[in-house]
Amino acid sequence: MAESLKQAIDDTTLDLGQFLSNFPIPTPAQFAIPPPSEALFPPTPPTSPPNNMSSTWGNIKSEQPSSCTLQGEQASFTELQTPQSNYMSIQNQFNWCNSHPMNWSYTQVRGFLTWAVAEYELPPHEINFEHFRVNGAKLCMMSREEFSLLCPNYGDILYLSIGKVLEEAQYLYDPTPAFCEGPSDTTMSESVRAMHEEMMNMDFIQAPVDDLPMQDLFPDCGGITADDIDVNDKFDDVNVELGDFPPSPTSTDESYSSMSPGRNSPYYCGSESDYGSGDQTLGNLFMPRYETSDGDSDHDSYGSSPRRSYPDELHMYDSDKEVKPTVDFSVQNAPINMKIKPGGAPERRARGRPRKVRPPTEELLTTGKRGRQHSKGNHLWEFVRDLLKNPSTNPKVIKWEDRRDGIFRFVQSEAVANMWGRKKNNPNMTYEKLSRAMRYYYKRQILQQVPERRLVYKFGPAATGWQDKE
DNA sequence: AGGTTTTTTCCTGTTT
DNA sequence: TAAACAGGAAAAAACC
């Protein structure tokens, strides 16, 4: 596998250093905290490029291309060095954070890599972009091992970084449009089939498995179209919908186990024992969501990390955590506010926070303690701060209103709440609850009120780490 | 062991 | 009228 993978890699010597010298990019600091974010990561690509891009884009001087489409670019590297395609290519690189990673073009993949290199201050000469000459769908399906093969020293970081972006993208973007082009009534099962064909053509990734056609593996996708998935859905609802892509087994579906995707399949979700093994692909993020038995997990740390912190280990890959499906339709686990009294009237829920029913973890059994709940960086305000630093969420779901004064606004308040709930393994999180927690920060001067502005908050003197240089 | 911290949940009422 | 805001109350659960 390793040998064939290496052979498959285009043997070019072009490296990131050369790339950067061809295309001046913003400094790492600008990447971390883009001022203003819209300029670096425009919500929608302009239909024609600006005449002078020097202010924000460095000293790029570009002649206006006569025609410039942002769709379907397949520019070769030589093409990219022409002034016209320079602009196109740069636009597309910065557009990576405006679409689901599964839909990234090669250029957007490169944009993501450029960002990751800057964000995590990786040594550019160690990362050969040509080794990642894949589109987003392929990148997402690459395993940790494959990342490490393509980039021996920093593959892990890139793997975790794309994992993080993928996790966030679940709430922001529809992962399937690339496979749903065509009639609007395209069903998910057709998409799955198309995706399967796409997988079969992958250079690096083994096709699924057992040579079973996808329609045999997943005979009923429920006719869900991509349009049915709304980022504003509460994530347990999304969970049900996305979770059926492909359909999850039911307790009565005895045939499912014999039809499950094999372990090489990008759809293969892995058994419990597989989590944390080296054989991971990010394609798991398109499977029904799983939670660990412990709400919050401590993340692996890179003790020898060269500079700053690297992306969190995705807790879904933790090997020492019990894994169980999030979707649980059993009566005792139904949301309490949906319980019906024997008389038929809805039962009013008791005040206060309901006790979480959580099976004991191995840690609890051996040490008598659960993992830390409020470990460093786990506080809500820190989470919000980090969303503001992340170009895949800023400005899409949260954005600076006044970068210097620390004033920011929730653009998609429910999406932020969903992400926070996801982080805390709490599918019932809403913006209403999140905002209550935010209001508690006023007293502690972590946040300050911004009167007469809805969804707008301001960092207070007790908040740290949000300024450009601290 | 018990207080503290940081949420989470529910609620009533108000403002936009 | 809906969404957001404000803040009280109670509780969970890890932290100290």
Side-chain angles (χ1 to χ4, degrees):
Chain A
M1 173 61 186
E3 283 309 306
S4 63
L5 184 63
K6 278 180 176 169
Q7 279 182 353
I9 298 168
D10 189 4
D11 186 22
T12 170
T13 55
L14 189 66
D15 66 15
L16 181 62
Q18 282 175 270
F19 172 79
L20 294 178
S21 65
N22 285 329
F23 306 109
I25 61 166
T27 63
Q30 282 175 295
F31 265 107
I33 308 166
S37 50
E38 293 91 333
L40 268 178
F41 304 99
T44 50
T47 50
S48 61
N51 290 325
N52 184 349
M53 298 169 69
S54 60
S55 58
T56 306
W57 299 73
N59 53 359
I60 301 167
K61 299 284 182 189
S62 149
E63 293 188 5
Q64 186 142 336
S66 53
S67 68
C68 171
T69 56
L70 295 167
Q71 300 295 319
E73 86 296 35
Q74 290 273 322
S76 71
F77 211 85
T78 7
E79 281 171 42
L80 295 178
Q81 295 180 27
T82 66
Q84 281 93 345
S85 51
N86 244 6
Y87 174 77
M88 248 168 60
S89 137
I90 290 165
Q91 276 297 303
N92 285 314
Q93 283 174 59
F94 288 112
N95 282 341
W96 67 268
C97 50
N98 285 334
S99 61
H100 194 285
M102 284 295 283
N103 298 321
W104 287 350
S105 64
Y106 157 61
T107 307
Q108 286 170 309
V109 167
R110 207 172 41 196
F112 158 74
L113 291 170
T114 308
W115 169 78
V117 164
E119 176 68 14
Y120 302 111
E121 296 179 25
L122 310 179
H125 58 275
E126 294 252 15
I127 293 141
N128 188 332
F129 271 34
E130 287 298 299
H131 287 181
F132 290 90
R133 196 174 249 286
V134 294
N135 64 20
K138 293 175 186 178
L139 190 79
C140 293
M141 296 304 164
M142 280 169 57
S143 70
R144 197 172 195 152
E145 266 181 351
E146 286 161 341
F147 270 89
S148 293
L149 274 169
L150 300 182
C151 179
N153 293 331
Y154 298 95
D156 254 15
I157 293 164
L158 295 175
Y159 172 83
L160 294 171
S161 184
I162 183 64
K164 189 110 176 159
V165 170
L166 258 175
E167 197 174 12
E168 283 159 2
Q170 290 178 100
Y171 307 105
L172 307 180
Y173 310 110
D174 182 342
T176 57
F179 308 109
C180 291
E181 284 168 0
S184 58
D185 60 350
T186 303
T187 62
M188 194 63 97
S189 50
E190 286 167 358
S191 317
V192 170
R193 205 157 37 240
M195 197 166 176
H196 170 241
E197 281 165 18
E198 171 92 355
M199 298 307 164
M200 294 292 282
N201 295 326
M202 282 187 174
D203 297 332
F204 301 150
I205 312 299
Q206 294 291 313
V209 194
D210 306 331
D211 295 327
L212 275 176
M214 288 308 278
Q215 65 266 35
D216 290 342
L217 289 172
F218 308 113
D220 178 18
C221 289
I224 299 167
T225 67
D227 291 339
D228 292 330
I229 299 162
D230 182 352
V231 294
N232 290 321
D233 282 349
K234 290 169 59 61
F235 86 60
D236 49 351
D237 298 330
V238 176
N239 208 2
V240 172
E241 295 186 16
L242 288 178
D244 282 346
F245 167 54
S248 51
T250 65
S251 56
T252 56
D253 189 358
E254 291 171 6
S255 62
Y256 186 88
S257 59
S258 63
M259 295 168 62
S260 298
R263 72 177 295 119
N264 288 333
S265 164
Y267 299 121
Y268 177 65
C269 196
S271 65
E272 287 185 25
S273 58
D274 288 332
Y275 281 81
S277 76
D279 188 22
Q280 303 158 348
T281 78
L282 293 160
N284 293 341
L285 281 169
F286 299 99
M287 295 300 292
R289 295 209 184 89
Y290 283 74
E291 63 184 8
T292 62
S293 57
D294 195 344
D296 269 5
S297 58
D298 284 334
H299 303 297
D300 290 355
S301 60
Y302 289 79
S304 57
S305 63
R307 290 185 196 89
R308 63 172 79 176
S309 60
Y310 292 127
D312 295 352
E313 282 277 354
L314 296 176
H315 58 261
M316 65 191 298
Y317 297 130
D318 284 0
S319 57
D320 56 346
K321 300 288 169 60
E322 185 190 347
V323 178
K324 61 181 171 53
T326 302
V327 181
D328 185 348
F329 296 109
S330 60
V331 173
Q332 65 269 32
N333 288 314
I336 192 164
N337 54 4
M338 289 173 61
K339 279 184 179 171
I340 305 295
K341 271 185 174 177
E347 183 180 4
R348 177 169 266 207
R349 184 185 171 145
R351 277 183 163 234
R353 183 177 176 170
R355 176 182 290 273
K356 260 188 182 174
V357 181
R358 302 190 302 183
T361 60
E362 199 172 319
E363 186 184 8
L364 181 66
L365 293 171
T366 53
T367 68
K369 289 181 182 174
R370 291 194 187 267
R372 293 169 68 90
Q373 186 186 23
H374 307 301
S375 56
K376 203 181 174 194
N378 262 355
H379 294 146
L380 173 59
W381 69 270
E382 292 168 300
F383 172 78
V384 169
R385 178 197 65 195
D386 293 344
L387 291 184
L388 282 161
K389 287 182 170 180
N390 188 339
S392 69
T393 46
N394 178 351
K396 178 91 179 174
V397 295
I398 191 169
K399 64 188 280 192
W400 290 112
E401 290 281 289
D402 186 328
R403 178 71 190 80
R404 225 184 57 184
D405 288 346
I407 300 171
F408 58 94
R409 178 165 64 89
F410 288 104
V411 179
Q412 294 182 32
S413 54
E414 286 303 327
V416 173
N418 288 345
M419 285 187 241
W420 175 238
R422 173 77 174 142
K423 183 175 174 66
K424 300 295 291 291
N425 210 6
N426 177 359
N428 300 314
M429 181 50 60
T430 61
Y431 176 72
E432 194 186 357
K433 295 172 191 169
L434 182 149
S435 63
R436 180 71 193 94
M438 296 283 280
R439 288 194 293 275
Y440 273 122
Y441 288 141
Y442 293 149
K443 256 189 179 174
R444 297 162 53 202
Q445 288 286 293
I446 289 169
L447 293 177
Q448 291 176 340
Q449 276 177 295
V450 180
E452 292 161 12
R453 296 294 314 276
R454 289 186 159 210
L455 303 171
V456 175
Y457 299 83
K458 178 179 193 245
F459 284 120
T464 56
W466 58 270
Q467 281 144 320
D468 276 318
K469 303 274 177 197
E470 290 193 73

